[in-house]
Amino acid sequence: MTEMEWNREADVVVLGSGGAAMTAAITAHDFGAKDVVILERNGMVGGTTAMSGGMLWIPNNHHQHEAGIEDSDEDIVTYLDSLAPGMLDPETLWAFMQNGPEMLRYLAEKTPVRLCAFADFPDYQPYSPGAKPDGGRSLDNEAFSFERLGKWATRVNPSKMAYPLRGSLMEAIRGSLDEETLAERERGDYRGLGQALAGSLFLAVLDRGIPVEFEKRARKLVKDGDRIVGVIAEDANGKPYTVRARRGVVIATGGFEWNETLVKTFVRGPLTGPVSVPENEGDGLLMAIEAGAQLGNMQNAFWMQSVLEFEPQHRSAKPNYLLGSDERARPGAILVNRAGKRFVNEAANYNALGKSLHAFDAGTHSYANLPYWLIIDQRYRNKYHTFNTPAGGPVPSFMMQADTLEELAAKAGIDPAGLTATVERFNQMVRNGHDDDFNRGDNTYDNFYMWGDMDFDPPHRTLGAIDQGPFFAVKMEAGALGTAGGPKTNADAQVVDWDGNPIPGLYAAGNAMAAVLGDVYGGAGGTLGPGMTFGYIAGRHLAEHLPNV
């Protein structure tokens, strides 16, 4: 390495400011690396974490035990192996299983983060062996007052969730907050979900005096021999900004779902509507590749159905995609392809449902289920919110409307005969009380009250007729919460090369690393749980292991 002039130095440099990144910075500081700095490409913190539901999937956690829900290593491995048989790395899986509960206890004791067991939130494949169909592994955030952040409150990314933000997710969907409590929460700027998680982590960062360097986009890792010793970033004006890392660098910059070239190069099937922050363009991945990192899981993403909102609201004028996880699962909604046919259990979890969009028709040489549409009727719109529109509200610009199903199909480009036949068959199955085509409503997840209608008994919490015009169609996207591939790590969150050896001074966490659970989404918080766990592991290892320099 030629002699460089550094703009600043630190023990640990963390790239990114989402849940995994802030956890890494906090942990590195607390375990002994007192000089820690965060480089954030944007002018806001929180990444996709702040925009999300904020839940963490951590099996065998202490909140679960306190709620009287038993778990075991055998059940966890059985469950995950049933979803990805022979595909998971035992070393990193064990690291997640052992360190996840430890990370939760640490956050509870040392930070403002407050989590609780969502006791009846089922695992996403509740019918699989080792699953917890009655919940316990997914953790919810208690509401957090943004007044505690002071002037920094405006620096947290906004939410994309449709639920009220003044309470926890449990409080929001159960409607358990009275007007007096809501008013008090409003005055204190209390927020739940990912806002609570990102806000409380950010407060922990501020309390420790860990600086966040905004508008510093990391572009290149600096090597001295085989060791990573720093980062070259660029500021808002495109000028270089160099930071020396005495102990190491943590890549926690999110996935690459907004980088069209990388998506087309690596991801299996189309990805047309990412719902993450638009800065997730694979900066960390490109730096890791240049540093000689081994890659893993590059074909997979964490799938999420989404809808294009026609007026871009994101910075840099990038399109804004709305989450589409709830609308399809409520009674009176179906998904159809251009032939007008249903192709999936609409109440299935969003990650698993996303894979059904990649079915390929060899005869037509096209994806059989792309494009696809949500079909609902007026009764549905009168009772349920749809994306960003309240029940009974105005018809949004991205929603097509017609008095008959035939007219609706013609507007949308769906086969009219196929759609009318599908709706007729679906309505008959609703009347019969069973979905003979896709078994929708047969398990606890399908009927869970977060998206099911508790006014009805199973299976009609998710099954309802579509028979009251006018009728509506929404063109849906093959969206993603983030990509699941990146540099491979070992159990200490160290990035490894193609021979499996750690690259000294280089760590990864969150969606920037090859997902420890592959393409498995175990339950609510299936990305944040492992991501923050490996942020914790990375920070601790950096603090406890001095570099041999």
Side-chain angles (χ1 to χ4, degrees):
M1 181 190 76
T2 59
E3 193 66 29
M4 286 194 65
E5 183 176 338
W6 302 101
N7 291 108
R8 74 173 299 157
E9 296 189 13
D11 289 333
V12 175
V13 180
V14 178
L15 309 181
S17 68
M22 289 194 282
T23 302
I26 293 163
T27 309
H29 174 277
D30 288 4
F31 279 84
K34 297 302 181 185
D35 191 3
V36 180
V37 63
I38 293 172
L39 299 189
E40 168 52 48
R41 167 181 169 173
N42 182 30
M44 309 280 280
V45 302
T48 303
T49 300
M51 306 171 77
S52 73
M55 296 187 74
L56 277 67
W57 191 78
I58 304 284
N60 220 2
N61 64 78
H62 70 280
H63 299 286
Q64 180 181 350
H65 298 157
E66 291 167 1
I69 303 169
E70 297 182 359
D71 211 343
S72 69
D73 292 339
E74 182 180 2
D75 280 349
I76 299 164
V77 172
T78 298
Y79 176 58
L80 294 173
D81 194 52
S82 72
L83 304 178
M87 295 177 62
L88 303 182
D89 173 56
E91 181 185 2
T92 52
L93 175 59
W94 185 246
F96 166 59
M97 290 168 56
Q98 294 300 298
N99 288 281
E102 181 180 323
M103 180 265 295
L104 290 175
R105 287 191 294 270
Y106 188 85
L107 292 179
E109 294 171 3
K110 303 293 185 180
T111 77
V113 175
R114 294 293 176 264
L115 297 158
C116 55
F118 203 144
D120 51 358
F121 202 122
D123 281 345
Y124 276 3
Q125 284 79 30
Y127 42 79
S128 297
K132 290 292 178 188
D134 298 319
R137 291 170 174 165
S138 291
L139 302 168
D140 190 15
N141 289 271
E142 295 181 6
F144 172 79
S145 172
F146 266 54
E147 282 191 344
R148 299 173 67 183
L149 291 173
K151 66 179 182 179
W152 297 103
T154 58
R155 287 283 196 169
V156 179
N157 263 329
S159 177
K160 268 202 173 184
M161 301 299 290
Y163 309 107
L165 292 177
R166 296 307 179 192
S168 68
L169 183 59
M170 284 187 287
E171 290 172 330
I173 64 178
R174 290 174 177 171
S176 58
L177 295 176
D178 58 39
E179 290 186 7
E180 183 179 349
T181 304
L182 278 172
E184 182 181 339
R185 297 272 182 91
E186 188 80 26
R187 288 191 295 270
D189 195 10
Y190 278 81
R191 307 183 195 180
L193 316 178
Q195 292 283 286
L197 182 58
S200 55
L201 285 170
F202 190 29
L203 181 57
V205 167
L206 296 171
D207 286 345
R208 287 160 174 78
I210 299 171
V212 179
E213 293 280 358
F214 292 105
E215 307 287 353
K216 299 295 189 297
R217 183 179 184 179
R219 286 295 203 177
K220 184 180 178 64
L221 298 169
V222 180
K223 269 189 172 184
D224 186 359
D226 64 347
R227 182 174 191 84
I228 303 300
V229 296
V231 181
I232 300 175
E234 61 182 32
D235 64 18
N237 298 314
K239 294 181 178 180
Y241 183 84
T242 57
V243 185
R244 182 188 176 203
R246 290 185 286 264
R247 297 195 182 195
V249 175
V250 182
I251 295 174
T253 51
F256 57 89
E257 59 274 8
W258 285 90
N259 187 316
E260 186 177 352
T261 300
L262 291 175
V263 167
K264 288 182 177 178
T265 300
F266 291 113
V267 176
R268 175 194 63 209
L271 195 170
T272 62
V275 296
S276 59
V277 289
E279 290 80 21
N280 287 358
E281 295 182 301
D283 293 353
L285 171 63
L286 295 173
M287 288 185 284
I289 290 173
E290 188 177 5
Q294 182 183 160
L295 305 181
N297 207 39
M298 295 299 294
Q299 73 276 24
N300 292 317
F302 299 115
W303 301 105
M304 166 61 74
Q305 298 68 60
S306 64
V307 175
L308 174 62
E309 190 175 35
F310 293 118
E311 295 181 5
Q313 294 181 352
H314 274 304
R315 50 196 167 266
S316 304
K318 289 191 176 181
N320 187 45
Y321 294 96
L322 305 174
L323 291 166
S325 61
D326 298 355
E327 286 77 8
R328 57 183 169 78
R330 299 195 189 103
I334 58 172
L335 296 175
V336 300
N337 57 24
R338 59 182 172 271
K341 296 181 179 180
R342 292 177 68 218
F343 54 89
V344 72
N345 169 7
E346 293 89 349
N349 84 77
Y350 40 83
N351 185 55
L353 193 152
K355 298 174 186 179
S356 70
L357 301 176
H358 298 150
F360 194 76
D361 185 337
T364 61
H365 205 75
S366 64
Y367 289 97
N369 300 323
L370 286 171
Y372 71 114
W373 292 263
L374 174 78
I375 305 297
I376 57 176
D377 65 3
Q378 187 62 48
R379 174 168 48 196
Y380 181 104
R381 290 201 67 246
N382 288 341
K383 187 168 187 181
Y384 308 116
H385 76 262
T386 47
F387 309 106
N388 57 355
T389 304
V395 178
S397 60
F398 52 79
M399 184 178 289
M400 291 168 275
Q401 175 180 348
D403 291 332
T404 68
L405 289 169
E406 292 85 354
E407 293 172 0
L408 184 67
K411 280 188 175 182
I414 304 170
D415 177 66
L419 179 60
T420 54
T422 293
V423 172
E424 182 179 348
R425 173 170 173 78
F426 181 74
N427 289 345
Q428 184 59 52
M429 290 190 295
V430 170
R431 289 189 287 270
N432 293 341
H434 187 261
D435 176 9
D436 296 336
D437 293 339
F438 298 102
N439 299 312
R440 176 174 166 185
D442 281 7
N443 63 66
T444 56
Y445 182 88
D446 292 4
N447 292 288
F448 184 50
Y449 56 78
M450 183 173 170
W451 32 81
D453 190 333
M454 296 299 287
D455 288 345
F456 306 105
D457 294 326
H460 292 102
R461 287 179 183 170
T462 184
L463 291 180
I466 305 170
D467 57 9
Q468 291 188 10
F471 302 93
F472 304 87
V474 178
K475 184 177 180 293
M476 305 288 289
E477 302 291 336
L481 298 167
T483 47
K488 285 184 68 68
T489 68
N490 61 18
D492 294 319
Q494 295 174 291
V495 174
V496 299
D497 62 21
W498 287 99
D499 292 320
N501 300 313
I503 298 175
L506 188 59
Y507 296 72
N511 285 0
M513 68 175 274
V516 63
L517 301 184
D519 67 343
V520 172
Y521 212 105
T527 56
L528 275 173
M532 287 175 57
T533 297
F534 271 77
Y536 173 82
I537 293 170
R540 184 185 61 194
H541 194 268
L542 273 163
E544 293 181 340
H545 294 79
L546 290 171
N548 182 23
V549 295

